[in-house]
Amino acid sequence: MEFVKGCVMDLQCLSSMWFKKINGRTHKERLEAFYNPQAEAYDRFRANFLHGRQPLMAACAARLRGSTNMTWVDLGGGTAENVDMMSQLIDLASFDKIYVVDMCSSLCKVARDKVKRKGWGNVEIVEGDACTFKPLKEATLVTFSYSLTMIPAFMDAVDQATSYLAEDGMIGVADFFTSAKYDLPNRQHTYSQRWFWRSVFDCDGIDVGPERRQYLEHKLSPVYEYNSGGKIPYVPYIQAPYYVWIGRPFNCSKVNLQRFPARASDEFEAKRPPTFPPTFLYSLSWEDPREDDKYLQINPDDTVLTLTSGGCNALDLVYQGAGQVVSVDINPAQSYLLELKRAAVIRLSFEDVWKMFGDGIHPKFDELLRKEISPFLSQGAANFWYQKAYYFKNGLYYHGGMGRLLRAVKILAKVTRKEQWVDCLVNAPTLEKQKELWFSTVGKWLRQANIFTRISSFLVTNRLVLWFCAGVCKGQLSLIRKEDNIYDYIVRCLNSTAEYSHLRDSNYFYRCCLTGRFSKHCCPRFLEEEPFYQLKEDLATKERLLIRTGTFVGELRKRMYTKVILMDHVDWLEQPDIDTLCEALRDQVRPGGRVIWRSASRSPGYAKCIEKAGFKVTRIHTSEQYMDRVNMYASFYVAIRNTTPAPIIVPSTNTEFSEKKPLLSPGSPDSVLATPTDGK
């Protein structure tokens, strides 16, 4: 019976919307004519239609949580359903006063009954005009929830709202929309979409054109935006476009980092390259930041460009004190992963962040995403993580390209009944014990290289597996094969790592590969407690970390840099692209600036191209010895932009580039190179 009654109420709403002619000389009369027949059924029907209300309340609540003595004005608040939604997110006692303002008498009556029933003592229903209403004191929050499109004099309404908005207050809007002819990429509609939706909504006196949002952005500085589409009850296949938007006063001098942390990412949807899987390849960065530290010499005057990869090293650079870190990746999913890490560090407790990125599992991730994280993500990142929330159900690190490799290792250990051996290896109390375990079993087996070993190696070293599981591209694979056998390359990497790098206390890269998680004493630095709290402040205070999706050269061309981290990016490029990169490095790296990279080749030909671009190039390590905790590359290079004579001190050698000697930069102390151990 309840279901039938509900359907009847829905049909009553639909008939009023579709078939009833709206009459009235004034705006108030027209509203009453439209809403009076459906006032009692309003909340039920709109719950499945006004999809932007809950995201708007969540985005506002996330910024207001912890504040007190606030005033909230909900303009066009109708039945006060927004107040009910807000009560599920924060304590309404945080507000001294909540005003629900609406011109429609029928909806105000429903709202008053709801206030009385709920016992909200600080909520006042005002039957009045949003264009003239003014609260007794300045407002912390003003909302237009599916009301701005129904206010003819919308400029007057926005002007009036901004007139009583507190300096660190905000205006939140959720509504239907159509784009302008030429609009931002994440808003853009086709001609047919613009014509269709404006025509449909115009029948109900609703103007969904772009003018209202344009005026909002004329009056206020945008801090959050989300654009999507939602289903219409009883109308299959069609989704009505809606947006959620939050703005704040321009040139606000009052610092409120809870509400307005520094913005760090593009708000545009980014397109995934067709050759990439629909997720990230790397869930953590596979370059050793401890080795990078020795040669980068990060300081507060640095502007650093790095590839995003898993994002751990970008966060590490911020912690080291770089003035600004620009992190770029052509795969949008890598940007979304770093956005999630950044937002989680700023918004969540250490315990929650550890569960997400230390254990890789958080049972309440969906709730945290909705309430705390997504209001601070770009549109693309929010959509991505809503779809991939299940990653945190069974382990983040078992997903993405690298996750396939981790799952294969886990299955292999289970099939061969070596799970206990893996546990003993990663928790070996000393490096000597670890070496004993490894070389008496797997290390010995790899060295023997019998027929079974070779066949097994083919299954895991073919081109498809190396790309989709390990992120080794075709060009990089060719570099390896020019100098080495791929099997010997991998065996040398694994055996050398087991011999020199302690998995229990230091090597979090391979520990994660073998266990799918980190430990509290062996993890990326942003998961250590002291760096975590420092990053929480640094990331929120200034735009220390910029997250960009696009080409590396494109971002390199946008500003001058003092440090550039190429990772293994150049291995992926053809010669014309290498030439373009070298020209950009020549133009955009300041004199004395440093460029570092790793390569699958011991002597990549492009090192000479970088040298010709005005850099002094030094090969620091090769795979002939243990290189670092990752130990997957064949060489590690540092290049310093020419500025004064002999910025790098090197002896005469017979190699193509000078190797493994102290670096000097103008005015800085000698950098001492570590010996090939694990830093113990």
Side-chain angles (χ1 to χ4, degrees), residues 462-679:
N462 65 76
R463 181 178 162 188
L464 287 177
V465 172
L466 286 172
W467 168 238
F468 285 105
C469 294
V472 178
C473 66
K474 178 183 176 182
Q476 205 163 45
L477 192 58
S478 298
L479 286 175
I480 295 172
R481 286 173 172 165
K482 282 181 181 178
E483 300 177 351
D484 215 336
N485 175 283
I486 185 68
Y487 176 81
D488 293 338
Y489 185 97
I490 293 173
V491 170
R492 183 172 62 248
C493 159
L494 295 177
N495 284 348
S496 184
T497 301
E499 184 173 1
Y500 292 107
S501 180
H502 195 192
L503 301 183
R504 189 192 73 169
D505 293 336
S506 175
N507 199 322
Y508 61 79
F509 303 96
Y510 289 94
R511 184 183 184 91
C512 183
C513 273
L514 292 169
T515 65
R517 63 187 301 274
F518 300 115
S519 68
K520 286 286 181 71
H521 59 275
C522 185
C523 58
R525 199 144 43 181
F526 82 97
L527 290 173
E528 296 175 8
E529 210 159 346
E530 183 181 341
F532 170 82
Y533 286 109
Q534 183 63 51
L535 278 170
K536 183 180 281 288
E537 180 180 346
D538 290 345
L539 292 172
T541 305
K542 296 179 180 178
E543 284 193 342
R544 298 280 301 281
L545 174 62
L546 301 183
I547 304 170
R548 299 290 183 256
T549 301
T551 64
F552 191 85
V553 170
E555 203 61 39
L556 180 58
R557 286 288 187 188
K558 290 181 181 179
R559 58 185 69 79
M560 297 297 291
Y561 295 93
T562 56
K563 308 286 165 64
V564 175
I565 302 169
L566 293 171
M567 295 187 179
D568 62 340
H569 174 59
V570 195
D571 282 0
W572 296 46
L573 303 180
E574 300 293 339
Q575 190 57 49
D577 297 319
I578 292 173
D579 294 338
T580 300
L581 172 65
C582 291
E583 290 174 8
L585 289 172
R586 179 197 64 203
D587 297 339
Q588 303 302 130
V589 178
R590 296 185 184 279
R594 298 182 174 220
V595 179
I596 67 171
W597 73 89
R598 291 172 171 84
S599 175
S601 169
R602 292 191 186 94
S603 299
Y606 57 76
K608 275 195 171 297
C609 298
I610 295 176
E611 186 176 50
K612 290 177 181 177
F615 291 83
K616 187 70 174 180
V617 176
T618 304
R619 188 172 68 187
I620 303 298
H621 292 303
T622 70
S623 57
E624 293 170 351
Q625 300 180 41
Y626 169 76
M627 289 177 59
D628 55 34
R629 291 176 294 179
V630 172
N631 205 41
M632 278 189 177
Y633 299 99
S635 59
F636 176 43
Y637 281 81
V638 177
I640 297 182
R641 185 75 167 87
N642 292 337
T643 177
T644 57
I648 303 179
I649 299 177
V650 295
S652 58
T653 67
N654 294 324
T655 57
E656 184 178 352
F657 295 102
S658 304
E659 300 181 30
K660 227 176 163 195
K661 293 296 172 182
L663 298 179
L664 291 177
S665 70
S668 68
D670 290 6
S671 298
V672 180
L673 299 183
T675 55
T677 69
D678 196 37

Side-chain angles (χ1 to χ4, degrees), residues 42 51 87 191 209 261 272 280 284 364 449 462 583:
Y42 183 93
H51 301 283
S87 69
Y191 170 79
R272 172 177 61 89
F280 44 80
L284 66 148
K364 295 184 177 180
N462 65 76
E583 290 174 8

Side-chain angles (χ1 to χ4, degrees), residues 292-352:
D292 294 353
D293 291 357
K294 303 171 187 175
Y295 305 102
L296 286 174
Q297 300 179 3
I298 295 296
N299 64 76
D301 296 326
D302 279 332
T303 301
V304 185
L305 177 63
T306 181
L307 282 153
T308 300
S309 186
C312 311
N313 289 3
L315 293 171
D316 200 82
L317 290 164
V318 176
Y319 173 69
Q320 290 177 49
Q324 188 171 73
V325 177
V326 182
S327 188
V328 61
D329 207 291
I330 199 169
N331 183 359
Q334 299 293 162
S335 299
Y336 300 156
L337 177 61
L338 180 53
E339 275 196 64
L340 183 71
K341 290 179 178 180
R342 176 191 176 274
V345 169
I346 293 174
R347 298 293 306 172
L348 303 181
S349 67
F350 177 75
E351 290 72 23
D352 282 326

Side-chain angles (χ1 to χ4, degrees), residues 15-41:
S15 64
S16 296
M17 293 169 61
W18 291 350
F19 305 117
K20 186 176 177 61
K21 186 176 180 180
I22 302 174
N23 295 311
R25 293 173 300 172
T26 66
H27 182 50
K28 179 177 175 63
E29 290 175 355
R30 289 191 292 271
L31 287 174
E32 187 63 27
F34 182 68
Y35 284 115
N36 182 268
Q38 52 176 305
E40 296 299 327

Side-chain angles (χ1 to χ4, degrees), residues 27 31 35 42-43 46 50 53 56-57 72-83 99-104 107-108 111 124-133 142-151 157 161 164 172 174-175:
H27 182 50
L31 287 174
Y35 284 115
Y42 183 93
D43 286 342
R46 262 61 178 192
L50 307 184
R53 291 193 302 183
L56 173 64
M57 293 302 112
W72 173 20
V73 180
D74 189 19
L75 297 172
T79 63
E81 187 67 9
N82 290 335
V83 180
Y99 298 95
V100 179
V101 183
D102 204 287
M103 293 182 72
C104 182
L107 296 182
C108 286
E124 180 180 343
I125 307 302
V126 179
E127 187 176 327
D129 190 345
C131 299
T132 58
F133 173 80
V142 179
T143 52
F144 292 90
S145 177
Y146 289 90
S147 57
L148 196 58
T149 50
M150 300 191 73
I151 300 175
Y164 54 76
D175 220 323

